[in-house]
Amino acid sequence: MGPSTEYIKDEITSCDNIEDLTQALKELVPGRQKLWKDEINRILDESGLGKSGFAKACDVSRPALDKWCNLGGLPRTREQYIRIGMVAGFGVDEMNHFLQRFGGYSALYPKALVDCICIYVLTHHEKDEWVQKYDEIWNRLKNEITGDFVQGSAGQIDTVLFEEKIGEVSDEEKLELFVRQNADIFKGAYSKLNSYIKVYIEFNYLENTYGVDTVQDVAETQGWTPGLLQCVSLIRQNKWYPARDKLISLGIHLGMNEEEINHMFELAKMEPLCAKNLYESVILYILADADLSDVFDKDADGYSPDTLYYHACDILEQIRIPELESYMKEYLNAYNDEEG
């Protein structure tokens, strides 16, 4: 079974220096790329489709599939993981495990329209129809929830109860009616997460004197990636579908501690930071070290929310694990010599 998550976290966060951390990572935390390479090759073999047939079924290019199978390259979106899971024949529980374990995303969330459709398809159609039906229904219904979300207009309904109601929908005509009747619930699926992030930005930056007046100022100072800026824009519009790695990136850029990042995960219907993930184990070390260094002490002289980002980059520049570097370049813009 290997060491527990708690043991790995304790070992990682108690490292005294970067050398000890690097060694602990190599001994305790398997690379995400290797885990994914093993999993996608297993799925491919069991599918019996061959690479060309599997790539076509998943709506990805053959070179992309080769990269996954040979190099451990990762799918770029949650949508791709869902398609792979459908082609693999995963039911709802298996799909949830697959999305969380290998994709780093949330499990299927019934109050998100795309996930509602996925749950309906997985429970009402034959496996060989899943991808086709998923596409057909999504393309037909995705415009049913346009417009602004009105807080509280749909009332509150328990997520488990809502999923049970989806299970009671017997055909596509009734599903379409169900979506229309619950449009505000779907529009507000992540409203609490979006509100939390917006309030956090407002309170920690724009209502305090840190030399910035807008999120754009923060982004320019720290060198945010275009993808992260797009996230903030979509969050303001209540249109973002949260991605785990980008939530972590946002938390680091905004100076959040472990508890605050995990609260974002809770609102996004995701598991807390996990020490068995190479990327997240390093983030846990950074947050623990930052706490010991009083980076989160808002009463300290010269405190700035930017400090965590620069503290993280300083640590990351000392860790040279190729897989880790590629993640940090993409999500934290670390190792960028031009930006400093």
Side-chain angles (χ1 to χ4, degrees), residues 145-187:
I145 59 168
T146 57
D148 295 330
F149 166 69
V150 180
Q151 187 71 42
S153 64
Q156 299 296 321
I157 182 170
D158 179 76
T159 301
V160 174
L161 177 60
F162 194 71
E163 185 169 10
E164 290 177 357
K165 289 182 176 293
I166 296 171
E168 295 169 0
V169 175
S170 58
D171 56 48
E172 292 180 29
E173 182 178 345
K174 291 181 180 177
L175 176 65
E176 192 166 341
L177 177 62
F178 179 82
V179 169
R180 291 198 182 105
Q181 291 176 335
N182 294 282
D184 275 326
I185 290 178
F186 291 118
K187 283 187 285 187

Side-chain angles (χ1 to χ4, degrees), residues 89-212:
F90 293 159
V92 173
D93 290 340
E94 291 174 296
M95 183 71 82
N96 287 339
H97 173 76
F98 182 64
L99 287 171
Q100 293 175 304
R101 178 73 174 94
F102 296 98
Y105 290 98
S106 63
L108 294 172
Y109 181 39
K111 292 181 181 178
L113 178 59
V114 66
D115 287 4
C116 168
I117 293 170
C118 184
I119 292 169
Y120 170 82
V121 168
L122 295 182
T123 53
H124 288 79
H125 289 279
E126 298 298 323
K127 292 181 180 180
D128 59 359
E129 298 179 319
W130 281 354
V131 174
Q132 178 186 349
K133 284 295 183 181
Y134 174 73
D135 286 340
E136 287 177 359
I137 298 172
W138 170 245
N139 287 329
R140 189 168 69 249
L141 298 184
K142 62 184 177 182
N143 294 322
E144 292 292 340
I145 59 168
T146 57
D148 295 330
F149 166 69
V150 180
Q151 187 71 42
S153 64
Q156 299 296 321
I157 182 170
D158 179 76
T159 301
V160 174
L161 177 60
F162 194 71
E163 185 169 10
E164 290 177 357
K165 289 182 176 293
I166 296 171
E168 295 169 0
V169 175
S170 58
D171 56 48
E172 292 180 29
E173 182 178 345
K174 291 181 180 177
L175 176 65
E176 192 166 341
L177 177 62
F178 179 82
V179 169
R180 291 198 182 105
Q181 291 176 335
N182 294 282
D184 275 326
I185 290 178
F186 291 118
K187 283 187 285 187
Y190 293 101
S191 60
K192 290 182 179 178
L193 171 66
N194 294 336
S195 295
Y196 176 75
I197 294 172
K198 286 185 282 189
V199 168
Y200 195 97
I201 291 172
E202 185 74 22
F203 178 78
N204 285 278
Y205 279 93
L206 309 186
E207 289 187 1
N208 293 287
T209 307
Y210 298 123
V212 296

Side-chain angles (χ1 to χ4, degrees), residues 11 74 109 125 176 205 215-216 224 258 263 319 338:
E11 290 294 302
L74 299 169
Y109 181 39
H125 289 279
E176 192 166 341
Y205 279 93
V215 174
Q216 186 65 39
W224 286 19
E258 181 183 346
H263 184 60
I319 307 174
E338 293 181 1

